[in-house]
């Protein structure tokens, strides 16, 4: 049994961002790309389930690795001794898998991290295309994927979680309250730029330290700090609002972020999530946090005991 003690927030809330029309259009196009490649993979290996391949909720990095291994099993033992048509079928199947995998990753990025991350991932693929990676070239040249990128570019600042974040920080913009946002390495710089655009003085804290930035937050020179990783120093800030733009991926991640508050309880804690299965599945990790603890008398501290 492990015991963790950390301050209880005065207010704790989950904020679900609805799926926008742009996201619905993008998801439809992504699913069509996945189905096309799922059919090709199914034709190569009849043991694969077409329904599972078409359903993103069944996919994760582990399942993709299992799929790759199942295809590799069909690799001819002696490639040099096989005829060109046999080699062609095998290489086409492997090429299809790499496009399928890339599609899944960019789909996951779009629905968890936003349109900006989708566009950044596409730029990474363009660099791969220049270096001669065939799977990147095949995906980027698909008309459906081009349409996805076009929709994302037009709505880059209208991502639902971003709009929810704007609503939260706007409500407390004029109040004397310090803001800390937990994001990811991929999204932190963009979120900082957006916050600045909204009139907030924000900085990204790299490597989880940022003692000088923390002092600026306390003094009022900054309104907001964006952490792409768990802070390595105790925040110890009065009137603190914590916003989780990216939900913790597991209980350990959640507790590490909660413990960084130090001995001073945050006034507000918000968890922003997209009402889509890719984000909702992580919401369950945080749901029991305010309900299960036992409060110690006179201390305002929550004592957690868990397996």
């Amino acid at each position: 049994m492990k015991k963790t003690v950390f301050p209880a927030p005065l207010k704790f809330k989950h904020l679900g961002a609805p799926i926008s029309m742009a996201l619905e259009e993008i998801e439809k196009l992504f699913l069509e790309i996945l189905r096309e490649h799922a059919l090709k993979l199914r034709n190569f290996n009849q043991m694969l389930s077409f329904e599972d391949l078409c359903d993103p909720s069944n996919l994760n990095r582990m399942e993709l690795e299992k799929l790759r291994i199942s295809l590799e099993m069909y690799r001819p033992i002696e490639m040099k001794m096989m005829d060109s048509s046999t080699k062609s079928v095998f290489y086409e199947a492997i090429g299809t898998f790499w496009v399928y995998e890339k599609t899944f990753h960019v789909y996951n990025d779009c629905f968890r991290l936003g349109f900006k991350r989708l566009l950044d991932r596409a730029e990474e693929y363009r660099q791969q295309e220049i270096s001669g990676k065939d799977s990147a070239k095949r995906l980027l040249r698909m008309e459906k994927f081009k349409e996805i990128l076009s929709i994302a570019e037009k709505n880059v600042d209208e991502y639902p979680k971003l709009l929810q974040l704007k609503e939260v920080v706007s409500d407390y913009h004029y109040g004397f309250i310090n803001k800390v946002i937990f994001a990811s390495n991929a999204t932190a710089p963009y979120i900082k730029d957006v916050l600045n655009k909204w009139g907030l003085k924000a900085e990204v804290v790299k490597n989880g330290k940022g003692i000088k930035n923390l002092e600026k937050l306390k003094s009022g020179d900054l309104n907001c700090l964006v952490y792409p990783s768990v802070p390595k120093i105790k925040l110890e800030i009065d009137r603190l609002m914590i916003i989780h733009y990216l939900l913790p991926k597991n209980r350990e991640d959640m507790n590490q972020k909660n413990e960084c508050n130090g001995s001073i309880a945050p006034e507000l804690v918000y968890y922003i999530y997209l009402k889509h299965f890719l984000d909702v599945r992580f919401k369950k990790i945080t749901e029991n946090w305010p309900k299960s603890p036992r409060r110690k008398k006179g201390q305002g501290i929550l004592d957690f005991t868990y397996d």
Side-chain angles (χ1 to χ4, degrees):
M1 299 289 285
K2 183 179 177 182
K3 188 171 286 188
T4 303
V5 178
F6 49 86
L10 300 180
K11 185 177 180 182
F12 174 94
K13 193 173 183 180
H14 286 85
L15 299 173
I19 304 293
S20 64
M21 289 183 65
L23 272 175
E24 287 179 355
E25 291 177 43
I26 283 176
E27 180 161 44
K28 183 180 176 182
L29 292 164
F30 265 127
L31 292 178
E32 287 176 8
I33 295 174
L34 286 173
R35 286 192 190 98
E36 288 175 13
H37 288 77
L39 182 59
K40 292 178 183 178
L41 292 171
R42 178 72 174 80
N43 289 339
F44 178 75
N45 183 352
Q46 297 295 316
M47 299 294 289
L48 298 174
S49 167
F50 179 70
E51 289 73 21
D52 287 346
L53 290 170
C54 291
D55 186 358
S57 64
N58 293 323
L59 291 176
N60 53 48
R61 292 180 187 277
M62 188 178 295
E63 291 301 317
L64 285 170
E65 181 61 15
K66 288 179 182 178
L67 175 58
R68 186 192 64 77
I69 292 171
S70 73
L71 294 172
E72 288 282 0
M73 288 172 62
Y74 286 82
R75 178 190 290 272
I77 298 173
E78 292 291 341
M79 295 294 288
K80 294 179 181 179
M81 298 174 62
M82 306 307 291
D83 59 80
S84 58
S85 61
T86 304
K87 290 181 183 178
S88 178
V89 170
F90 173 74
Y91 286 133
E92 177 60 28
I94 292 298
T96 298
F97 166 76
W98 291 124
V99 177
Y100 178 84
E101 183 190 48
K102 277 183 169 13
T103 304
F104 167 74
H105 287 317
V106 76
Y107 171 81
N108 189 76
D109 281 350
C110 176
F111 282 85
R112 287 214 69 214
L113 303 177
F115 296 137
K116 181 64 168 62
R117 178 54 187 153
L118 163 62
L119 296 171
D120 288 345
R121 178 78 82 161
E123 186 56 38
E124 291 172 15
Y125 290 168
R126 288 190 186 97
Q127 296 304 313
Q128 292 178 14
E129 180 185 18
I130 293 170
S131 63
K133 202 151 190 175
D134 184 62
S135 55
K137 179 175 71 175
R138 288 168 64 175
L139 180 59
L140 289 169
R141 293 186 180 184
M142 286 182 190
E143 291 302 320
K144 289 186 177 69
F145 192 68
K146 289 178 182 178
E147 192 173 342
I148 287 170
L149 297 181
S150 175
I151 296 170
E153 286 172 356
K154 292 174 183 175
N155 297 274
V156 65
D157 290 336
E158 299 299 316
Y159 182 63
K161 283 172 69 172
L162 201 61
L163 297 178
Q164 191 76 69
L165 174 64
K166 184 177 183 179
E167 186 177 324
V168 172
V169 297
S170 296
D171 286 345
Y172 297 95
H173 181 56
Y174 297 104
F176 185 73
I177 189 162
N178 301 300
K179 305 167 187 68
V180 165
I181 298 174
F182 288 123
S184 68
N185 285 317
T187 57
Y190 172 65
I191 289 175
K192 187 263 293 187
D193 291 342
V194 170
L195 289 167
N196 290 338
K197 194 186 298 182
W198 293 340
L200 287 138
K201 292 175 285 185
E203 285 293 341
V204 174
V205 181
K206 298 179 181 178
N207 302 319
K209 295 180 180 179
I211 296 175
K212 290 183 179 179
N213 282 333
L214 194 60
E215 292 303 319
K216 287 182 181 180
L217 187 68
K218 290 178 180 179
S219 66
D221 291 336
L222 290 175
N223 306 121
C224 183
L225 295 180
V226 184
Y227 281 88
S229 59
V230 177
K232 295 179 181 177
I233 57 174
K234 298 295 184 184
L235 298 180
E236 300 286 359
I237 306 173
D238 290 317
R239 294 190 58 75
L240 175 65
M241 175 169 70
I242 295 177
I243 304 169
H244 293 261
Y245 185 78
L246 185 66
L247 293 183
K249 57 187 176 183
N250 51 46
R251 185 179 287 184
E252 182 183 1
D253 183 30
M254 179 187 77
N255 286 333
Q256 285 178 350
K257 289 173 179 174
N258 289 335
E259 289 167 359
C260 75
N261 301 330
S263 60
I264 302 175
E267 294 205 4
L268 303 162
V269 174
Y270 287 111
Y271 284 94
I272 298 176
Y273 68 96
L274 186 68
K275 291 180 179 179
H276 185 272
F277 73 87
L278 284 173
D279 230 13
V280 170
R281 61 185 174 178
F282 293 102
K283 176 175 176 278
K284 295 177 182 177
I285 295 168
T286 63
E287 280 181 336
N288 294 327
W289 183 46
K291 300 175 185 176
S292 59
R294 302 183 302 278
R295 183 180 292 276
K296 288 185 177 181
K297 292 183 179 180
Q299 292 186 13
I301 297 290
L302 294 185
D303 185 353
F304 286 80
T305 302
Y306 57 85
D307 295 329

